[in-house]
């Protein structure tokens, strides 16, 4: 008899251990909340989904149960039901370390957050295959919309992406795909203004310092630079077209070579990293050349003289992309369009010696 009693007690302890482990290892469900609050599952569902015509006493019990159990809605599961969404926008950029993209992401996040959406951000690092994996993963997560900075070399066409594709905006760089919107800056126009500003103060051998021309923005900026040199009557010198400055250090090295060889009398830096690299090269050499950079940056005002730049309204680009996606989600069926935003040339003195 005592042995039987001991076996029963041991059985009770084992049951208790199993129940406790079950509570720890699985996430609480709406059914658990309903049981804790002593209400129907339907009432919990209505409360969780924001309905307000619920008896206040019941709503209070449900809220208390949610806090006690640590219940969270499974938006991924909800998004696969008809009429439900994940309330998430996927953002694929090119380089998380570049302040340009962090500014874009912040602007997108601000607009999305105000509309009740979460932004999931990933970086392709300019790799086509990685970009494709990220897009597929975000679509598997049932994001409601996608904002994408296309990589330098695409691995596949968007027409080959398995649908359905959510509302899609290409940002900073266009893609030949008709079922998406795009938001760009006037890269060619801005670069043309920058090179003309340098030519107007007497520069004739203007170096172009930037990244690979495989990148749409670089190609456009080089085209604007070339147009300005043609207008100024000097023409493009291929030996002064430097397209290997992907990093600040590479730009510093290339501008250092230009200074050592005395091959140029001015520099157009085609992105913010190239501008910073040029400034570091000037500092190391103890002399500088007239300089205009593409993209403004926080420390541009600290130089002597401050750095002249072609400024994109990066925040406006991000906000516009987010507003387009949200508009599509809210029923906008207008024709897909490319919006090209203007740039602004800000002359602060570095364009002169």
């Amino acid at each position: 008899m005592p042995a039987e009693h001991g076996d029963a007690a041991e059985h009770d302890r084992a049951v208790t251990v199993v129940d406790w482990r079950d509570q720890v290892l699985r996430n609480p469900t709406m059914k658990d909340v309903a049981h804790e609050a002593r209400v129907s599952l339907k009432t919990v569902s209505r409360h969780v989904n924001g309905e307000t015509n619920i008896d206040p006493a019941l709503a209070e019990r449900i809220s208390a149960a949610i806090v006690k159990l640590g219940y969270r809605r499974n938006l991924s599961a909800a998004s696969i039901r008809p009429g439900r969404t994940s309330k998430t926008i996927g953002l694929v950029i090119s380089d998380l370390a570049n302040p340009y993209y962090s500014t874009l992401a912040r602007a997108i996040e601000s607009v999305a957050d105000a509309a009740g959406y979460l932004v999931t951000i990933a970086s392709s690092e300019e790799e086509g295959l990685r970009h494709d994996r990220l897009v597929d993963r975000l679509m598997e997560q049932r994001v409601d919309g996608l904002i994408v900075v296309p990589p330098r070399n695409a691995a596949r066409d968007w027409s080959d992406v398995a649908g359905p594709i959510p509302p899609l905006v290409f940002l900073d760089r266009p893609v030949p795909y008709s079922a998406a919107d795009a938001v760009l800056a006037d890269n060619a126009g801005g670069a043309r203004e920058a090179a003309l500003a340098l030519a107007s103060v007497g520069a004739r051998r203007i170096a172009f310092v930037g990244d690979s021309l495989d990148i749409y923005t670089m190609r456009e900026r080089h085209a604007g630079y070339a147009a300005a040199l043609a207008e100024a009557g000097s023409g493009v010198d291929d030996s002064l077209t430097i397209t290997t400055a992907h990093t600040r250090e590479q730009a510093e090295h290339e501008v250092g070579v230009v200074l050592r060889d005395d091959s140029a009398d001015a520099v157009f830096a085609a992105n913010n990293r190239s501008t910073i690299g040029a400034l570091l090269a000037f500092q190391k050499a103890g002399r500088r050349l007239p300089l205009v950079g593409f993209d403004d940056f926080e420390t541009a005002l600290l130089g002597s003289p401050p750095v002249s730049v072609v400024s994109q309204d990066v925040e406006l680009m991000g906000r516009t992309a987010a507003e387009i996606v949200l508009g599509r989600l809210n029923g906008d069926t207008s024709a897909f369009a490319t919006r090209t935003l203007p740039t602004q040339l800000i002359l602060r003195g570095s364009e002169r010696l």
Side-chain angles (χ1 to χ4, degrees):
M1 190 71 171
E4 290 177 3
H5 178 75
D7 289 344
E10 188 63 33
H11 174 72
D12 289 343
R13 282 196 298 272
V15 170
T16 301
V17 169
V18 171
D19 288 346
W20 174 79
R21 287 178 177 173
D22 182 59
Q23 289 295 321
V24 170
L25 292 177
R26 71 177 178 85
N27 293 321
T29 65
M30 280 200 287
K31 187 175 181 180
D32 297 324
V33 174
H35 183 267
E36 178 69 27
R38 305 185 308 283
V39 299
S40 71
L41 181 60
K42 183 177 181 180
T43 302
V44 173
S45 178
R46 290 170 55 220
H47 177 82
V48 167
N49 286 296
E51 295 187 27
T52 57
N53 57 337
I54 299 172
D55 183 280
L58 297 183
E60 188 175 339
R61 292 216 306 264
I62 294 169
S63 296
I66 286 172
V67 172
K68 179 179 178 179
L69 298 176
Y71 168 78
R72 289 187 177 86
R73 286 185 69 191
N74 187 343
L75 286 175
S76 294
S79 67
I80 66 176
R81 299 175 193 147
R84 300 293 181 85
T85 74
S86 66
K87 301 295 284 186
T88 303
I89 293 171
L91 170 61
V92 181
I93 59 176
S94 293
D95 185 353
L96 282 170
N98 191 326
Y100 171 84
Y101 291 115
S102 62
T103 301
L104 273 179
R106 183 178 61 189
I108 291 167
E109 198 170 41
S110 175
V111 174
D113 181 65
Y117 284 78
L118 177 72
V119 179
T120 299
I121 305 170
S123 174
S124 71
E125 302 300 330
E126 295 288 5
E127 297 175 10
L129 289 174
R130 176 180 169 83
H131 168 271
D132 293 348
R133 288 196 301 271
L134 292 171
V135 167
D136 289 342
R137 183 63 183 272
L138 289 168
M139 289 175 59
E140 287 167 4
Q141 295 294 322
R142 297 296 207 282
V143 294
D144 297 312
L146 275 172
I147 300 174
V148 172
V149 177
R152 176 184 306 182
N153 295 308
R156 69 178 174 191
D157 292 335
W158 273 87
S159 57
D160 295 329
V161 178
I165 297 175
L168 171 65
V169 175
F170 297 122
L171 188 56
D172 193 48
R173 307 166 186 175
V175 168
Y177 178 66
S178 60
D181 295 288
V183 180
L184 314 175
D186 183 9
N187 291 280
R192 174 182 167 276
E193 284 192 277
L196 285 176
L198 291 166
S200 71
V201 294
R204 288 295 176 266
R205 293 172 293 127
I206 303 171
F208 176 97
V209 182
D211 208 336
S212 169
L213 297 186
D214 287 339
I215 301 173
Y216 166 81
T217 51
M218 285 295 118
R219 225 168 30 250
E220 286 291 292
R221 292 171 195 178
H222 186 266
Y225 155 87
L229 295 190
E231 288 181 51
S234 54
V236 174
D237 182 343
D238 289 341
S239 69
L240 294 178
T241 297
I242 299 164
T243 58
T244 54
H246 177 61
T247 67
R248 181 193 69 194
E249 291 78 11
Q250 289 167 339
E252 180 182 356
H253 170 76
E254 295 294 349
V255 175
V257 171
V258 166
L259 288 168
R260 187 185 66 232
D261 296 346
D262 201 25
S263 55
D265 55 15
V267 172
F268 168 57
N271 61 15
N272 52 10
R273 286 181 169 174
S274 294
T275 305
I276 293 170
L279 293 172
L280 291 171
F282 294 168
Q283 184 182 57
K284 185 177 290 186
R287 68 186 185 92
R288 69 177 189 86
L289 296 175
L291 168 71
V292 178
F294 205 110
D295 293 330
D296 208 353
F297 55 102
E298 286 185 349
T299 55
L301 297 173
L302 300 180
S304 182
V307 181
S308 298
V309 296
V310 176
S311 177
Q312 304 181 68
D313 194 334
V314 183
E315 290 191 3
L316 178 60
M317 288 183 69
R319 290 198 307 271
T320 301
E323 287 165 358
I324 291 170
V325 166
L326 292 172
R328 295 295 184 191
L329 290 172
N330 289 323
D332 180 4
T333 58
S334 60
F336 295 109
T338 295
R339 294 160 176 81
T340 302
L341 305 181
T343 58
Q344 180 185 9
L345 177 64
I346 304 174
L347 298 178
R348 296 168 173 150
S350 70
E351 77 282 2
R352 302 186 299 271
L353 269 179

